[in-house]
């Protein structure tokens, strides 16, 4: 097993290298250059020439690429052309925001989606099943930003129950250390702010989690129904096992596999959906950052963020694959 | 003392009294409620101002850096002007009235080249080190000698000093004695003093600059700690002190209890500036109280805000921008003066102002707003479609097709709804017989790149002032030559105008400067190279219990006078 994990990790290197070449090519195919982004209406040919020279944009592409890769190997991911912050200075602030949001959305999607799916499966073809199907159709159909805006208007502006934007009450003046605010507030013993951070998480997590929730509910339902028709389930019931035991030990154990696969895949979707959610809720995360960076032709930030995300995605996939082995003892990697 | 208006730029001696320094007593009525609903709350008098509290201010975007000399964006400047001070400042609420700040007074030599500033004594930087002439000189010499790697980020130092190092127009900056600094220019520049009110010319603590690697030895800006936030950043003398910057999330500043001007000590304990890019979010935040003050709101939201008794719209008064129909003279038929005059007569500016600016704008009668230094009425054509048709007939042009561009994915302070404004103008132009081919490009980078490169025949664009001087509009923004030739964007050649503007900038007395700038305006009026449309005052909005705010069309707004009636 260990050997397998090491091999998979090593395999990420050529993948990332290949990706970096493709990324670099694509990013440099974008029309326009950072001169407009930085100088705007104040650009002059002389100022643009100086800027391009200073940023190394006059070098041949392969030189720029090798400079970039060389920097990566030294742990230098470059700096933004907009605020000239080194990549990790800003990434380390924004990434925890996206992680907190994504995890919260995933917990919401799994925590609600799987029970809903099981409920629908148990009452297959009944009205509960129909209701769950309707809910999941709704979840898949409604765009994240529409749902987000509606949630903000109802629960934030009209009812005033929950905050409409940001990650924490601005007036609190809380200075984070890791930028995982739940962790930071807990470590600081500021439980009032811990609750405040949770309250800020609720609406964005629901908005972002709605689509994965719907998908997970559908897959769970289908998987449970399929397994329920297996001979061994009938045998289990015939043995006189309680319905609960049949459910836990015989149905769900086997139904987990496809659900796990889907949950793993949803992580990628969540990171994508985070762009919209972060915009609607003024969430200081990576998604909004990348979109702004593309608009600003902040090429270093775009490249480095996508590379880091690709790495994360590869690792999540590995975790999911390893997870199979635990869920299903018949799967063995070597 | 009542500081001098307008002509202050060239006035020799300006003696300051203790009450000066950009610090007036708070005016609680500055937050204006709408006249429309008649529900204007009567604010309590100034002596009831309450100290304490934290104000949450929504800005359109994040700051870029924490070193005032290495910024050129309005968000950074807006935050820094609460923390940092220069030798001179703009009076609250004004776009052009120069008042003393860290300089108590100044004189200008008769040849117009040497400014001698008396430095205020007893002032301490936020790090406890004293302000003296040496500190001022250290800052000015740092700006003058920025290495080429940092020049990309110090636009204003380059523009105002006319270059760097030996090629700079600044000949010398010396400490005559501990309380006197003399700045000598190679040739006179009548906009020099007004430009010194910009936040980028705020004086930082030399100790902090050196500690933060901002002493021109570190060439990689990402390693200049003074620019990157952290404990050594933004160390000035202002009524607030820099506390922290969480990139993308907030900048927090706190009250400076030891502020030198006791009449302008802040009421607020702290201010949190949050970047809130979405206009809807600013509105939601105001409504729920998550935001106390939105620096900029969309004019279309004004009705919603006025309908909410807990909120107030803030009219900034004087405009400091111009929106125009830009024209490139390399294209037919817009190279024909009669066609340009016809376009100017065809557009219904009042309709645009009511529809897109909620009335917070005036029709432009010049290429710069009316309150700009030396601006005079030019009697530009007003809405008269019949005259437009007649001019087109007289023009002799047969092909009346014009490619007309507007930017997508953007709003600007002078252009809140580019597409809507474009459609209204297009319909006006077609009504008088022109054939408009509508074109659009994304604002960044395509639109700005292509208009600059001269690829557009006619397009919408404007300018928000850096400083409220004629050179900033007429020369920098619009018609000044680039590298000795007409700009590629307008392709407008007028050598006499170029010479007149350069002479005006170099004039050593106010009368000459005034006469030359007025001549320049007449020259531009005669050629009508572009069509100015509107000067707007972008509105702000606040919770109704935010008191004492003084708005300015140039966003030179100081929060020391702001207090919370809670």
């Amino acid at each position: 097993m260990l050997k397998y994990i090491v091999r998979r990790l090593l395999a990420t290197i050529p993948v990332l290298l290949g990706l970096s070449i493709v990324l670099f090519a694509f990013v440099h195919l974008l029309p326009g250059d950072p001169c407009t982004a930085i100088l705007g209406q104040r650009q002059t040919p002389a100022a643009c020439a100086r800027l391009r020279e200073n940023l190394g944009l006059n070098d041949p592409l392969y030189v720029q690429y090798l400079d970039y890769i060389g920097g990566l190997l030294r742990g230098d991911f470059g700096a933004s052309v907009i605020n000239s912050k080194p990549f990790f200075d800003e990434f380390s602030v924004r990434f925890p925001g996206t992680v907190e949001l994504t995890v919260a959305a995933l917990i919401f999607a799994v925590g609600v989606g799987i029970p809903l799916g099981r409920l629908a499966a148990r009452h297959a073809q009944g009205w509960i099943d129909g209701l769950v199907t309707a809910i999941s159709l709704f979840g898949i159909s409604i765009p994240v930003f529409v749902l987000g805006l509606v949630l903000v208007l109802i629960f934030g502006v009209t009812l005033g129950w929950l905050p409409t934007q940001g990650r924490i009450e601005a007036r609190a003046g809380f200075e984070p250390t890791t930028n995982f605010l739940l962790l930071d507030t807990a470590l600081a013993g500021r439980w009032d702010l811990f609750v405040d951070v949770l309250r800020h998480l609720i609406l964005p997590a629901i908005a972002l989690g709605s689509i994965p929730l719907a998908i997970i509910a559908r897959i769970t339902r289908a998987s449970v129904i399929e397994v329920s028709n297996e001979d061994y389930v009938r045998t289990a019931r015939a043995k006189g096992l309680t319905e609960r035991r049949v459910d836990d030990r015989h149905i769900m154990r086997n139904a987990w596999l496809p659900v796990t696969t889907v949950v793993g895949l949803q992580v990628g979707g969540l990171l994508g959906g985070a762009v919209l959610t972060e915009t609607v809720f003024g969430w200081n995360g990576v998604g909004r950052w990348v979109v702004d960076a593309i608009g600003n032709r902040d090429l270093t930030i775009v490249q480095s963020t996508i590379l880091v995300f690709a790495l994360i995605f590869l690792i999540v996939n590995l975790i999911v694959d390893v997870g199979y082995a635990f869920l299903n003892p018949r799967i063995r990697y070597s | 003392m009542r500081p001098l208006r307008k002509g202050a730029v060239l006035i020799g001696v300006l003696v300051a009294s203790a009450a000066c320094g950009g610090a007036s007593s708070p005016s609680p009525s500055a937050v204006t409620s709408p006249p429309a609903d008649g529900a204007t709350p009567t604010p309590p008098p100034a002596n009831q101002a309450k100290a304490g509290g934290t104000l949450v201010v929504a800005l359109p975007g994040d700051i870029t850096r924490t070193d005032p000399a290495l910024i050129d964006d309005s968000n950074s400047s807006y935050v820094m002007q609460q923390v940092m001070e220069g030798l001179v400042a703009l009076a609250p609420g004004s776009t052009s009235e120069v008042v003393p700040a860290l300089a108590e007074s100044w004189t200008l030599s008769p040849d117009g080249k040497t400014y001698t500033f008396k430095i205020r004594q007893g002032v301490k930087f936020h790090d406890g080190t004293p302000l003296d002439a040496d500190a001022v000189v250290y800052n000015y010499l740092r700006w003058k000698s920025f290495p080429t790697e940092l020049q990309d980020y110090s636009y204003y130092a380059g523009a105002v000093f006319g270059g760097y190092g030996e090629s700079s127009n600044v000949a010398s900056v010396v400490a005559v004695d501990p309380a006197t600094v003399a700045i000598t220019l190679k040739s006179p520049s009548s906009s020099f003093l007004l430009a010194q009110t910009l936040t980028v010319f705020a004086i930082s603590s030399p100790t902090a600059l050196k500690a933060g690697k901002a002493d021109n030895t570190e060439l990689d800006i990402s390693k200049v700690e003074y620019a990157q936030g952290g404990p050594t950043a933004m160390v000035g003398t202002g009524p607030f002190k820099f506390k922290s910057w969480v990139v993308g999330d907030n900048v927090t500043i706190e009250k400076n209890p030891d502020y030198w001007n006791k009449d302008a000590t802040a009421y607020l304990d702290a201010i949190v500036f949050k970047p809130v890019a979405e206009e809807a979010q600013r509105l939601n935040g105001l409504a729920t109280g998550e935001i106390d003050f939105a620096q900029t709101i969309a004019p279309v939201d004004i009705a919603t805000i006025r309908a909410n008794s807990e909120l107030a719209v803030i009219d900034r008064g004087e405009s400091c921008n111009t929106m125009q129909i830009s024209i490139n003279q390399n294209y037919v038929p817009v190279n024909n003066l009669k066609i340009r005059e016809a376009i100017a007569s065809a557009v219904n500016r009042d309709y645009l102002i009511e529809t897109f600016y909620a009335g917070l704008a005036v029709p432009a009668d010049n290429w710069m707003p009316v309150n700009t230094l030396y601006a005079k009425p030019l009697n530009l054509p007003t809405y008269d479609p019949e005259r437009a048709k007649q001019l087109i007939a007289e023009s002799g042009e047969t092909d009346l097709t014009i490619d007309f561009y507007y930017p997508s994915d953007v709003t600007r302070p002078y252009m809140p709804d580019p597409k809507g404004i474009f459609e209204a103008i297009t319909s006006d132009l077609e009504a008088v017989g022109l054939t408009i081919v509508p074109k659009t490009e994304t604002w960044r980078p395509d639109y700005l790149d292509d208009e600059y490169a001269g690829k557009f025949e006619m397009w919408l664009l404007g300018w928000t002032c850096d400083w409220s001087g004629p050179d900033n509009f007429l020369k920098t923004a619009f018609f000044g030559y680039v590298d000795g030739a007409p700009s590629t964007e307008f392709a407008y050649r007028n050598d006499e105008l170029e010479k007149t503007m350069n002479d005006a900038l170099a004039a050593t007395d106010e009368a000459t400067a005034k006469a030359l700038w007025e001549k320049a305006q007449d020259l531009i009026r005669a050629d009508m190279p572009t069509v100015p449309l509107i000067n707007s005052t972008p509105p702000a909005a606040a919770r109704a219990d935010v008191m004492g705010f003084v708005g300015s069309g140039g966003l030179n707004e100081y929060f020391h006078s702001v207090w919370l009636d809670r």
Side-chain angles (χ1 to χ4, degrees), chain A residues 278-326:
Chain A
E278 285 171 12
T279 304
V280 172
F281 290 93
W283 196 264
N284 194 28
V286 178
R288 231 162 31 122
W289 190 36
V290 176
V291 171
D292 289 347
I294 293 172
N296 289 333
R297 298 298 183 269
D298 201 346
L299 308 183
T300 314
I301 298 301
V302 178
Q303 280 163 201
S304 296
T305 317
I306 296 180
L307 268 186
V308 172
F309 264 53
L311 182 64
I312 291 168
F313 201 64
L314 289 171
I315 291 174
V316 168
N317 266 332
L318 176 59
I319 292 172
V320 169
D321 286 351
V322 172
Y324 287 154
F326 287 101

Side-chain angles (χ1 to χ4, degrees), chain A:
Chain A
M1 180 61 124
L2 193 67
K3 243 166 104 183
Y4 171 77
I5 294 176
V6 171
R7 215 172 57 220
R8 279 284 299 269
L9 281 175
L10 285 176
T12 59
I13 294 173
V15 171
L16 286 177
L17 208 59
L19 179 69
S20 72
I21 294 174
V22 174
L23 245 180
F24 193 84
F26 270 112
V27 162
H28 283 79
L29 281 176
L30 284 172
D33 69 39
C35 187
T36 319
I38 293 178
L39 300 173
Q41 280 171 262
R42 301 194 192 93
Q43 63 178 303
T44 63
C48 282
R50 185 184 62 210
L51 185 75
R52 293 184 65 83
E53 182 62 37
N54 286 337
L55 292 177
L57 297 173
N58 287 335
D59 297 335
L61 265 191
Y62 73 92
V63 174
Q64 292 186 45
Y65 176 76
L66 290 177
D67 279 351
Y68 177 67
I69 291 295
L72 290 186
L73 293 177
R74 292 191 306 273
D76 176 5
F77 279 64
S80 159
V81 298
I82 299 300
N83 63 17
S84 38
K85 275 210 167 293
F87 173 76
F88 275 110
D89 280 17
E90 187 153 1
F91 188 79
S92 62
V93 172
R94 292 181 177 263
F95 183 62
T98 300
V99 171
E100 262 185 7
L101 174 58
T102 309
V103 170
L106 200 62
I107 289 173
F108 169 70
V110 170
V112 179
I114 290 180
L116 269 187
R118 289 176 71 171
L119 193 69
R122 190 173 301 153
H123 304 279
Q125 311 304 333
W127 67 270
I128 293 181
D129 186 23
L131 186 69
V132 171
T133 306
I135 291 174
S136 58
L137 256 179
F138 179 79
I140 291 177
S141 312
I142 190 165
V144 169
F145 66 93
V146 174
L147 181 60
L149 288 175
V150 170
L151 289 174
V152 164
L153 281 180
I154 296 177
F155 296 101
V157 179
T158 308
L159 296 173
W161 291 352
L162 292 166
T164 64
Q165 53 197 298
R167 296 179 62 197
I168 190 169
E169 165 61 48
R171 288 180 193 85
F174 184 73
E175 290 189 53
T177 43
T178 67
N179 289 301
F180 289 96
L181 291 184
L182 284 173
L183 184 70
D184 286 347
T185 50
L187 287 178
R190 292 292 304 270
W191 297 104
D192 55 328
L193 290 179
F194 182 84
V195 172
D196 180 66
V197 173
L198 275 181
R199 281 163 45 82
H200 277 86
L201 263 170
I202 294 174
L203 294 183
I206 291 175
L208 180 57
S210 63
I211 291 177
L213 181 153
I215 294 170
I216 290 169
R218 304 279 297 163
I219 295 291
T220 307
R221 175 185 175 277
S223 180
V224 168
I225 289 175
E226 193 185 324
V227 175
S228 301
N229 294 330
E230 293 287 343
D231 292 342
Y232 54 79
V233 173
R234 206 173 324 124
T235 310
R237 287 215 176 87
K239 280 196 298 189
L241 293 182
T242 62
E243 199 52 33
R244 185 181 170 144
R245 212 169 158 77
V246 172
D247 225 29
D248 288 349
R249 284 289 186 82
H250 296 268
I251 298 179
M252 282 320 290
R253 261 258 174 105
N254 291 293
W256 276 125
L257 263 191
V259 175
T260 312
T261 310
V262 166
V263 170
L265 288 175
Q266 288 311 308
V267 174
L270 281 173
L271 291 175
V275 174
L276 292 172
T277 316
E278 285 171 12
T279 304
V280 172
F281 290 93
W283 196 264
N284 194 28
V286 178
R288 231 162 31 122
W289 190 36
V290 176
V291 171
D292 289 347
I294 293 172
N296 289 333
R297 298 298 183 269
D298 201 346
L299 308 183
T300 314
I301 298 301
V302 178
Q303 280 163 201
S304 296
T305 317
I306 296 180
L307 268 186
V308 172
F309 264 53
L311 182 64
I312 291 168
F313 201 64
L314 289 171
I315 291 174
V316 168
N317 266 332
L318 176 59
I319 292 172
V320 169
D321 286 351
V322 172
Y324 287 154
F326 287 101
L327 289 172
N328 186 344
R330 280 172 300 184
I331 296 176
R332 281 284 171 267
Y333 299 109
S334 58

Side-chain angles (χ1 to χ4, degrees), chain B residues 250-370:
Chain B
N250 75 77
V251 186
T252 303
I253 61 176
E254 55 191 10
K255 177 178 179 166
N256 172 14
D258 305 319
Y259 186 47
W260 58 268
N261 187 347
K262 296 300 171 205
D263 294 330
T265 307
Y267 293 104
L268 296 165
D269 290 335
I271 306 177
V272 180
F273 293 92
K274 285 187 74 67
V276 183
E278 305 293 315
E279 281 160 350
Q281 253 164 44
R282 280 175 236 158
L283 205 56
N284 289 339
L286 281 172
T288 60
E290 288 165 273
I291 294 169
D292 295 310
F293 182 94
Q295 185 230 44
T296 305
I297 55 163
V300 290
D301 290 333
I302 285 181
T304 313
I305 293 168
R306 286 188 174 156
N308 186 339
S309 61
E310 292 180 354
L311 306 180
V313 175
I314 297 168
D315 179 354
R316 290 196 152 97
E318 294 179 349
S319 170
C320 210
N321 65 38
T322 299
M323 206 273 284
Q324 68 167 357
I325 299 178
S326 302
I327 286 167
N328 187 308
Q329 311 242 348
N330 280 339
Y331 293 83
V332 180
V334 292
N335 59 347
N336 186 318
L337 174 60
K338 287 206 189 286
I339 295 291
R340 296 197 297 275
E341 292 269 350
I343 291 169
S345 299
V347 179
N348 186 344
R349 296 165 179 79
D350 291 335
Y351 173 79
L352 297 177
I353 289 169
E354 283 314 309
T355 312
F356 301 106
Y357 296 82
L360 297 175
V362 292
D365 190 36
N366 197 322
W367 279 261
M368 48 190 174
V370 63

Side-chain angles (χ1 to χ4, degrees), chain B residues 173-429:
Chain B
V173 184
V174 292
V176 178
D177 61 52
T180 312
V181 170
I183 300 176
T184 304
L185 307 180
K186 289 176 186 163
S187 62
S189 169
S190 59
S191 68
F192 185 78
L193 186 65
L194 185 54
Q196 299 310 301
T197 63
L198 292 175
T199 316
V200 294
F201 298 114
I203 305 297
S204 292
S205 154
T207 310
L209 287 173
K210 289 170 198 162
K213 297 186 186 170
D215 51 4
N216 289 356
T217 53
E218 177 58 68
L219 304 182
D220 179 351
I221 190 167
S222 69
K223 298 195 175 89
V224 176
E225 290 161 13
Y226 192 72
Q228 300 289 343
T232 63
M234 239 195 268
V235 180
T237 55
F240 291 93
K241 297 190 284 189
F242 172 70
K243 186 180 173 214
S244 63
W245 175 26
V246 180
V247 63
D249 193 71
N250 75 77
V251 186
T252 303
I253 61 176
E254 55 191 10
K255 177 178 179 166
N256 172 14
D258 305 319
Y259 186 47
W260 58 268
N261 187 347
K262 296 300 171 205
D263 294 330
T265 307
Y267 293 104
L268 296 165
D269 290 335
I271 306 177
V272 180
F273 293 92
K274 285 187 74 67
V276 183
E278 305 293 315
E279 281 160 350
Q281 253 164 44
R282 280 175 236 158
L283 205 56
N284 289 339
L286 281 172
T288 60
E290 288 165 273
I291 294 169
D292 295 310
F293 182 94
Q295 185 230 44
T296 305
I297 55 163
V300 290
D301 290 333
I302 285 181
T304 313
I305 293 168
R306 286 188 174 156
N308 186 339
S309 61
E310 292 180 354
L311 306 180
V313 175
I314 297 168
D315 179 354
R316 290 196 152 97
E318 294 179 349
S319 170
C320 210
N321 65 38
T322 299
M323 206 273 284
Q324 68 167 357
I325 299 178
S326 302
I327 286 167
N328 187 308
Q329 311 242 348
N330 280 339
Y331 293 83
V332 180
V334 292
N335 59 347
N336 186 318
L337 174 60
K338 287 206 189 286
I339 295 291
R340 296 197 297 275
E341 292 269 350
I343 291 169
S345 299
V347 179
N348 186 344
R349 296 165 179 79
D350 291 335
Y351 173 79
L352 297 177
I353 289 169
E354 283 314 309
T355 312
F356 301 106
Y357 296 82
L360 297 175
V362 292
D365 190 36
N366 197 322
W367 279 261
M368 48 190 174
V370 63
N371 46 286
T372 313
L373 196 64
Y374 307 136
K376 66 173 201 172
L378 293 178
N379 299 317
L380 295 180
T382 50
Y383 182 49
D384 186 349
E386 289 313 312
R387 179 168 178 268
K389 285 178 193 165
Q390 192 187 334
L391 284 163
I392 291 171
E394 291 168 7
S395 72
E397 299 291 342
T398 49
D399 184 358
L400 295 173
T401 307
I402 301 173
D403 288 350
F404 186 23
Y405 288 78
Y406 71 93
S408 54
D409 300 333
V410 75
T411 63
R412 305 296 291 166
Y414 50 79
M415 188 164 56
D417 178 3
K419 183 164 184 275
I421 293 169
F422 173 86
E423 285 166 350
I425 294 173
T426 298
S427 120
D428 282 347
L429 296 179

